[in-house]
Amino acid sequence: MEYELSLRFLENALAINSKYHGAKSLKVALSHHLVARVYASKAEFRSALQHEKEGYTIYKTQFGEQNEKTKESSEYLKYLTQQAVALQRTMNEIYKNGSNANIKPLKFTAPSMSSVLELLNTINGILFIPLSQKDMDNLRAEVQQRHILHETIKGNHAHLEVEDPLMKPEPKEPCIPSTETT
């Protein structure tokens, strides 16, 4: 609920990402989305829409319309638009009817813990790739094969390093050239 502190932090992160990664990078798109989420939590839907549109444009340019991130951003834009319209209707009702206005509460959805963790992992560059059971079995088999190969190579090197006294060549006596002439 520390909206102002969050907003200050995220806007600084947006500026840094823009400076170092370019205004059209995926990190900037994610930063715009996070800033939009804070503005939406503060019911500042105009600012939230502006930032989410920036993020959506980047995702659409980078990935196209059919990408999951582009679709998520599009859905969030729709949600923000609905919330902005509901807020404006509420304000109009208050101006029109004063204290007798029938005010419907706005829908604020706090992000789920899994959503927050996913965003933090994305920000920190941690990607989770879902694997099927078959993929996991193949990966285990590959790791086991590499381990066996590594142990075999390590064992061969250890065998080569141990000196067998029977295999050691006998030292030769030094050869001194003769100075005699015949």
Side-chain angles (χ1 to χ4, degrees):
M1 300 301 200
E2 295 285 339
Y3 299 125
E4 293 306 317
L5 180 61
S6 298
L7 197 53
R8 212 171 52 208
F9 173 81
L10 292 169
E11 285 178 334
N12 284 332
L14 174 59
I16 290 169
N17 282 330
S18 294
K19 180 178 179 179
Y20 290 104
H21 299 288
K24 301 299 178 191
S25 77
L26 296 177
K27 289 185 183 282
V28 170
L30 178 60
S31 291
H32 277 297
H33 173 71
L34 295 173
V35 170
R37 300 258 322 234
V38 174
Y39 276 122
S41 297
K42 293 177 60 178
E44 294 181 26
F45 296 109
R46 187 168 294 177
S47 295
L49 279 164
Q50 176 186 352
H51 281 282
E52 192 61 32
K53 282 179 187 176
E54 289 290 328
Y56 171 78
T57 301
I58 294 169
Y59 287 134
K60 183 178 169 186
T61 302
Q62 296 273 344
F63 296 132
E65 296 263 352
Q66 299 306 314
N67 182 269
E68 182 182 331
K69 285 288 186 191
T70 308
K71 288 178 181 179
E72 285 176 14
S73 185
S74 176
E75 288 298 315
Y76 196 60
L77 279 170
K78 289 176 189 172
Y79 167 79
L80 291 173
T81 303
Q82 291 169 351
Q83 292 301 302
V85 168
L87 179 62
Q88 189 59 51
R89 283 187 186 144
T90 301
M91 298 304 288
N92 290 346
E93 181 77 18
I94 290 171
Y95 290 135
K96 182 178 171 184
N97 296 326
S99 62
N100 295 330
N102 184 12
I103 302 172
K104 295 180 184 176
L106 293 173
K107 296 177 188 174
F108 288 103
T109 56
S112 67
M113 183 56 82
S114 64
S115 172
V116 169
L117 289 175
E118 182 183 337
L119 286 172
L120 287 172
N121 286 335
T122 302
I123 290 167
N124 291 309
I126 300 170
L127 299 177
F128 291 101
I129 302 170
L131 298 174
S132 68
Q133 187 60 44
K134 182 180 176 184
D135 291 335
M136 289 295 292
D137 293 340
N138 290 340
L139 184 60
R140 278 190 193 97
E142 173 87 18
V143 168
Q144 283 179 332
Q145 287 175 343
R146 288 181 185 221
H147 179 72
I148 291 168
L149 180 62
H150 177 72
E151 289 298 316
T152 302
I153 291 171
K154 194 166 110 178
N156 287 341
H157 284 296
H159 175 71
L160 292 175
E161 291 172 8
V162 173
E163 290 187 21
D164 186 350
L166 298 175
M167 298 298 290
K168 199 173 192 180
E170 291 198 23
K172 294 182 181 178
E173 291 188 26
C175 181
I176 303 172
S178 169
T179 55
E180 295 178 12
T181 55
T182 51

